[in-house]
Amino acid sequence: MAEAQNTPVGSTTAGAIAVAAESTVATRMSAPPSFDVADFPVPHGREEEWRFTPLERLRGLHDGTAVATGDSLKVAVEAPEGVTVELVGRDDARLGRAGTPVDRVAAQAYSAFEQAGVVTVPKETVLTEPIRISVHGQGGVAFGHQVIELGAFAEAVVVIDHTGDVVTAANVEYVLGDGAKLTVVSVQDWDDKAVHVAQHNALVGRDASFKSVVVTFGGDVVRLHPRVSYAGTGGEAELYGLYFTDAGQHQEHRLLVDHNTPHCKSNVAYKGALQGEDAHAVWIGDVLIEAKAEGTDTYEMNRNLVLTDGARVDSVPNLEIETGEIVGAGHASATGRFDDEQLFYLMARGIPQHEARRLVVRGFFAELVQQIGVADIEERLLAKIEEELEASVA
Amino acid sequence: MATLEIRDLHVTVEADNATKEILKGVDLTVKQGETHAIMGPNGSGKSTLAYSLAGHPKYTITGGTVTLDGEDVLEMSVDERARAGLFLAMQYPVEVPGVSVSNFLRTSATAIRGEAPKLRTWVKEVKETMERLSMDPSFAERNVNEGFSGGEKKRHEILQLELLKPKIAILDETDSGLDVDALRIVSEGVNRVRETGEVGTLLITHYTRILRYIKPDFVHVFSAGRIVESGGAELADKLEDEGYEAYTKGGVSA
């Protein structure tokens, strides 16, 4: 890759394709998955799953010192007719089906939340308007749990907006019935001090399609862990991500696609732009093709564009293959920088400096934004990218 | 008539923690409609002249003046110089990931012309210019210089020259790395622009080969950071026969 020749100082791009009899994705974790926070030791920062994360900035989410305060998060759900929106207790049987917490903070969230939100789209219900969930931080600490379930052949778009200031840990579950189609856009547009750690678990039914779009702009620390597994053959998952990491921000996206079922597809594409001193983006892309997952087709890609000195990217794709009977598997990772020579080239064609920067960043994200397939979201994202750029140029 | 005047230009560059003077008093006047070839051995400072005129931040001007129609070029930023009518076709055009050629050309033309070109005529203009340069239409959708062959990069530079219609075009070793076919296509592009009579051309080259396609009005021999001899097209023939030895003995040049 041409871009890779231009890796900025301090950034790492490492990848591995392993052919193994047994998964090392699981054994790399310090403890097996569990709903109970007590099953995880307090991380010290050298564990594989924590080594990129500034623990001291998690404000106690990882060591039990963060305690929920009242009214920290205001959650509002706006749903079209036919959709059921509920708040349920911890013992509700619909919780915890799509996945189990894999690290201490996710387990902490599961152990500490009081009520969970459950949004249900009944079978064969095709929504024409999105479900909008607004999550607004009002200071303090909050633990959350959210389930979004689509019955068989239901179709829905869900937009989750995160704004305001809070220290929060949460688990989000997406349960897709057979043939269901779900697009989820999760926008992290937090204020500068917010800390947001969440595990997203998607369980994709037979012949179902799951599309996740994760957009991270704000926050002091955002660490998201989108995970996908399949409940039946023919499932498809598209995981798209876009982040714009500014000075001092830590934005970490750790993905896992577990091909645990034959004849399923996955496509992962994350792109990030970074600018400013100590902007730090981390991308971990794990894809596991289990021995029984014949006919798997998967590709994962991460691209980073470093706009200024002082920013750092760690990008680690891992592809683990336990069967050779697959359609395709691949990964790519590259980190390039927008450097003085590129700037000179564009300016030598009459293009002013701020316009040159915008041109490059817009172009970099445009292709990915077009994958979202929800027009008003696409426009909003492009506008938001412009806004980030304006703020940086000023 | 547009005139580029270079007077006693001195330029230094920082290398290995030392300041090195590369240009040691360059004098040159290029008028609209004229073609000047600057020829010289490697390391004589030809490319430094090109990049200094365009305003590359790596080079520091320590003395002299450069004016375009009396305006102080050295006071202008890189983009202002381009909008004033200076164009540099680069020897090593850089890749700009994420920006398509078509988007780049239109943004550039908008900046240079001061308003966005009308879409219909623009599309036609780009298409026809690309055809004349034997460039496939799919080229427009590729990212700027990304994965381009050496010949494609040079054609892309000349495409910009034709579309942006500068007052003064500086072609920095546009011929290097081109096979004969590509050299002919690129030269034809340059000649189309020259034939308008509206551009002054500064053709920087190491070889005389390109001068068979692009006939210069003046030839200048560059050595050790200065113009050491000037003449007409016949000077190029002399260089073809005798090489640069006459100008470099004394060991002043690399």
Side-chain angles (χ1 to χ4, degrees), chain A residues 2-3 305 337-338 340-353 355-356 359-364, chain B residues 51 54-56 78-79 82-83 87-88 90 94-99 103-104 107-108 111-112 144-145 156-157 160:
Chain A
E3 288 164 71
L305 178 64
R337 51 174 298 164
F338 181 56
D340 293 344
E341 293 302 324
Q342 291 167 348
L343 186 62
F344 174 73
Y345 188 74
L346 295 172
M347 287 178 72
R349 299 303 178 248
I351 302 169
Q353 180 165 355
E355 177 71 20
L359 189 68
V360 167
V361 174
R362 233 176 347 200
F364 177 73
Chain B
Y51 280 86
H56 195 287
V78 176
D79 52 319
R83 293 198 296 274
F87 178 87
L88 170 62
M90 297 187 201
V94 295
E95 296 181 0
V96 188
V99 179
N103 190 6
F104 166 64
T107 306
S108 176
I112 299 277
V144 171
N145 292 318
H156 180 231
E157 293 294 290
Q160 295 166 52

Side-chain angles (χ1 to χ4, degrees), chain A residues 154-185:
Chain A
E155 293 183 19
V157 173
V158 180
V159 179
I160 309 175
D161 262 309
H162 300 90
T163 56
D165 176 27
V166 72
V167 174
T168 187
N171 291 279
V172 184
E173 299 184 63
Y174 305 112
V175 181
L176 283 75
D178 293 351
K181 284 190 167 62
L182 172 62
T183 296
V184 180
V185 183

Side-chain angles (χ1 to χ4, degrees), chain A residues 343-389:
Chain A
L343 186 62
F344 174 73
Y345 188 74
L346 295 172
M347 287 178 72
R349 299 303 178 248
I351 302 169
Q353 180 165 355
H354 67 274
E355 177 71 20
R357 202 171 284 272
R358 271 169 49 180
L359 189 68
V360 167
V361 174
R362 233 176 347 200
F364 177 73
F365 282 128
E367 192 190 352
L368 189 63
V369 171
Q370 285 158 13
Q371 303 283 335
I372 296 172
V374 185
D376 71 318
I377 298 289
E378 291 179 7
E379 275 163 39
R380 214 181 106 197
L381 288 186
L382 287 172
K384 185 70 198 173
I385 291 166
E386 295 282 307
E387 203 180 294
E388 289 280 327
L389 284 165

Side-chain angles (χ1 to χ4, degrees), chain A residues 23 49 105 145 202 229 259 278 322 360:
Chain A
S23 169
E49 74 269 33
V105 176
H145 195 94
S229 61
H259 279 277
D278 296 324
E322 294 172 18
V360 167

Side-chain angles (χ1 to χ4, degrees), chain B residues 39 206-209 211-212 219 221 233-247:
Chain B
M39 308 200 55
H206 182 75
Y207 304 104
T208 51
R209 189 178 61 148
L211 304 183
R212 286 178 221 145
V219 174
V221 182
E234 74 288 346
L235 183 53
D237 299 331
K238 184 183 155 201
L239 289 170
E240 170 83 46
D241 296 338
E242 299 174 13
Y244 294 115
E245 282 82 29
Y247 304 99

Side-chain angles (χ1 to χ4, degrees), chain A residues 204-227:
Chain A
V204 180
R206 184 189 170 109
D207 297 324
S209 302
F210 174 63
K211 186 192 277 192
S212 154
V213 182
V214 169
V215 181
T216 303
F217 290 116
D220 177 47
V221 177
V222 173
R223 180 181 140 117
L224 302 180
H225 205 154
R227 298 166 69 88

